[in-house]
């Protein structure tokens, strides 16, 4: 029996499934599913499989928009629809509904101080022009170039008014407000928008007592016998599978103090021997001296890199 079929069979038995979905794997799954904010989460101490569906079938669909118009007349209709594939497809080897038990400590955050400063005084072209002349010696004679130079200078002046100027990203600020011209920024600074700088001082109390909680996670699982020689294929399977399954699978809501990292985390089950690949990286600064230590270090480093993409690794002998 090959690795894929043998592992699929493991998932049908309670004892063998517990060996595959160990508490250490549960810790990786929880980190792949959620980001933690204002909360301290310990390692998972227990994994409960509440429901498992093997080879879950999902209908792939293609969304399209259309426009219909009367042949004689001006009436027209716009519509959107989804075209379903003829046959459902399986995008994972299993769908898992898990309960992950861990020690959790919430942090109590309060606002100690609020400072609000209007930035409307920056909407002064004489002030902007004076800075340009100081820096460049004169103003550009081309009007379009003058507007671009003024926009750059005004954006820099905005950053200088921040508490930590280096943390201000002018490009993101303008893009978030759909501002691409000098006039657009001038309008944003003046009445009635009155762009302001808001500074908050927060106090975080992390001394609250911890509690044992069980967090619900819904994940997809795929079995990959040769993950690192076919890494591109693996990533493609995860991405396309997630896109299909998220439309037909109820995902878990994030617990308090957490936020979803992805809609549907994926558990990739691989053979332990795959970690013997000498091209795989160790944790930075690690110098493992035994085969087991090398595998553990490679697994930790791989998980660190895959967690932001909503992927958790599980190894089996």
């Amino acid at each position: 029996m090959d690795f894929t079929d043998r592992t699929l069979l493991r998932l049908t038995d309670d004892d063998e499934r517990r060996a595959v979905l160990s508490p250490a794997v549960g810790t990786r799954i929880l980190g792949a599913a959620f980001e933690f904010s204002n909360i301290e989460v310990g390692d998972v101490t227990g994994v409960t499989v509440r429901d498992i569906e093997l080879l879950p079938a999902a209908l792939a669909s293609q969304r399209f928009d259309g426009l219909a118009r009367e042949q004689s007349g001006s009436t027209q209709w716009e519509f959107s629809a989804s075209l379903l594939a003829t046959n459902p497809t399986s995008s994972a080897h299993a769908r898992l509904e898990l309960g992950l038990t861990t020690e959790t400590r919430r942090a109590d955050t309060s606002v100690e101080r609020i400072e609000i400063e209007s930035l409307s005084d920056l909407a002064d072209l004489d002030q902007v022009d004076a800075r340009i002349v100081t820096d460049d010696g004169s103003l550009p004679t081309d009007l379009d170039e003058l507007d671009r130079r003024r926009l750059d200078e005004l954006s820099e002046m905005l950053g200088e008014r921040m508490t930590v100027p280096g943390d201000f990203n002018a490009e993101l600020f303008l893009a978030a407000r759909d501002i691409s011209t000098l006039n657009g920024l001038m309008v944003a600074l003046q009445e009635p928008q009155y762009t302001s700088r808001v500074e908050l001082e927060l106090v975080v109390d992390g001394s609250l007592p911890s509690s044992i909680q069980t967090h619900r996670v819904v994940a997809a699982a795929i079995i990959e016998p040769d993950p690192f020689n076919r890494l591109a294929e693996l990533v493609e399977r995860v991405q396309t599978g997630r896109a299909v399954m998220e439309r037909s699978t109820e995902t878990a809501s994030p617990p308090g103090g957490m936020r979803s990292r992805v809609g549907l985390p994926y558990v990739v089950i691989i053979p332990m021997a795959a970690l013997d690949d000498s091209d795989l990286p160790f944790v930075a600064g690690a110098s493992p001296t035994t085969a087991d230590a090398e595998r553990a270090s490679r697994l930790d480093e791989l998980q660190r890199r895959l967690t932001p993409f909503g992927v958790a690794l599980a190894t089996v002998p």
Side-chain angles (χ1 to χ4, degrees):
M1 184 176 287
D2 67 17
F3 177 79
T4 299
D5 291 335
R6 180 67 186 95
T7 304
L8 195 63
L9 195 59
R10 288 176 188 269
L11 295 178
T12 65
D13 177 78
D14 288 344
D15 290 336
E16 290 198 284
R17 190 165 57 223
R18 275 193 289 270
V20 175
L21 301 173
S22 65
V25 174
T27 298
R28 296 178 207 130
I29 294 173
L30 190 62
F34 304 121
E35 296 180 89
F36 311 137
S37 59
N38 289 338
I39 190 170
E40 181 182 335
V41 180
D43 290 340
V44 170
T45 56
V47 177
T48 302
V49 179
R50 297 175 175 175
D51 186 44
I52 181 170
E53 180 185 0
L54 296 183
L55 300 175
L59 286 171
S61 63
Q62 178 65 51
R63 179 181 172 86
F64 64 92
D65 300 317
L67 178 67
R69 181 183 294 110
E70 289 183 341
Q71 287 187 342
S72 58
S74 58
T75 304
Q76 63 182 28
W77 302 268
E78 295 182 1
F79 63 91
S80 299
S82 294
L83 180 65
L84 296 178
T86 305
N87 298 312
T89 59
S90 176
S91 300
H93 288 103
R95 173 196 170 276
L96 306 169
E97 181 178 346
L98 307 172
L100 304 178
T101 301
T102 181
E103 184 177 8
T104 304
R105 177 183 286 109
R106 295 290 301 272
D108 183 31
T109 303
S110 59
V111 179
E112 189 78 2
R113 178 179 63 86
I114 301 178
E115 178 182 311
I116 302 176
E117 178 191 12
S118 173
L119 300 175
S120 59
D121 60 292
L122 293 178
D124 180 353
L125 287 182
D126 289 340
Q127 179 185 188
V128 175
D129 288 348
R131 284 177 52 119
I132 295 174
V133 170
T134 299
D135 292 342
D136 302 349
S138 63
L139 296 175
T141 56
D142 181 80
L143 294 181
D144 290 338
E145 178 60 28
L146 176 60
D147 279 353
R148 283 192 293 270
R149 185 65 183 86
R150 283 171 167 171
L151 178 60
D152 291 343
E153 191 67 31
L154 188 51
S155 299
E156 185 176 332
M157 293 167 67
L158 269 174
E160 292 172 357
R161 293 285 284 273
M162 300 298 113
T163 306
V164 183
D167 289 346
F168 179 74
N169 188 315
E171 290 185 5
L172 289 179
F173 174 84
L174 297 176
R177 291 154 183 79
D178 198 25
I179 297 173
S180 58
T181 65
L182 173 67
N183 183 64
L185 182 53
M186 294 288 286
V187 168
L189 290 170
Q190 301 175 79
E191 186 181 357
Q193 296 189 38
Y194 284 127
T195 296
S196 300
R197 180 185 66 85
V198 179
E199 181 177 343
L200 301 178
E201 183 177 331
L202 304 178
V203 176
V204 180
D205 180 6
S207 63
L208 298 178
S210 62
S211 62
I212 302 300
Q213 297 185 16
T214 298
H215 307 294
R216 177 176 178 264
V217 174
V218 176
I222 58 174
I223 304 165
E224 177 50 64
D226 190 17
F228 306 123
N229 286 326
R230 299 188 301 185
L231 186 57
E233 287 182 33
L234 175 60
V235 172
E236 182 180 11
R237 286 178 62 195
V238 169
Q239 297 288 56
T240 56
R242 178 180 287 149
V244 171
M245 289 193 67
E246 281 182 347
R247 292 196 290 265
S248 58
T249 300
E250 178 197 3
T251 57
S253 300
M258 304 184 194
R259 58 181 181 271
S260 295
R261 191 182 294 277
V262 292
L264 184 69
Y266 259 68
V267 184
V268 180
I269 305 173
I270 66 173
M272 178 69 76
L275 296 172
D276 291 332
D277 187 335
S278 60
D279 287 333
L280 295 176
F282 295 133
V283 171
S287 300
T289 57
T290 66
D292 287 345
E294 287 180 349
R295 289 176 175 176
S297 183
R298 288 172 179 140
L299 179 58
D300 288 345
E301 178 61 18
L302 289 168
Q303 187 58 63
R304 182 188 71 81
R305 300 186 186 202
L306 293 174
T307 292
F309 302 100
V311 175
L313 293 175
T315 60
V316 296

